[in-house]
């Protein structure tokens, strides 16, 4: 017998299902947010590939979304 993962069926009640990806919250320039490590900041630019540039007061940092440490205010 051969083992093939492409033909395996996943039951809807299986606890081993892959988790659905988190929805990405859209940010715009001048949105306020908090970061668990850096504190409060303001979005200064929105880049490609789900990246935002945030000014936390000590300089801008790039954050890739979704990020569990980021909360919109």
């Amino acid at each position: 017998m051969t083992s093939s993962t492409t033909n395996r069926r996943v039951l809807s009640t299986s606890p081993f299902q892959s988790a659905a990806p988190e929805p990405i919250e859209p940010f715009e320039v001048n949105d306020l947010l908090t970061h668990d490590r850096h504190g409060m900041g303001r979005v200064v630019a929105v880049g490609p590939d789900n990246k935002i540039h945030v000014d936390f007061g000590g300089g801008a940092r790039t954050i890739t979304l979704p990020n569990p440490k980021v909360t919109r205010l």
Side-chain angles (χ1 to χ4, degrees):
M1 255 204 234
T2 61
S3 175
S4 175
T5 58
T6 58
N7 295 334
R8 289 187 183 175
R9 200 170 55 120
V10 178
L11 299 175
S12 62
T13 57
S14 173
F16 302 105
Q17 294 182 35
S18 60
E22 292 181 32
I24 298 173
E25 187 175 3
F27 282 89
E28 296 179 9
V29 175
N30 291 325
D31 282 351
L32 293 175
L33 58 83
T34 60
H35 189 279
D36 290 351
R37 178 189 235 176
H38 305 295
M40 191 166 110
R42 181 179 305 272
V43 177
V44 293
V46 178
D49 300 328
N50 302 323
K51 294 185 181 186
I52 57 174
H53 303 280
V54 182
D55 183 12
F56 291 103
R61 296 191 179 264
T62 302
I63 297 175
T64 304
L65 299 175
N67 189 324
K69 297 180 180 182
V70 174
T71 306
R72 178 193 298 265
L73 294 179

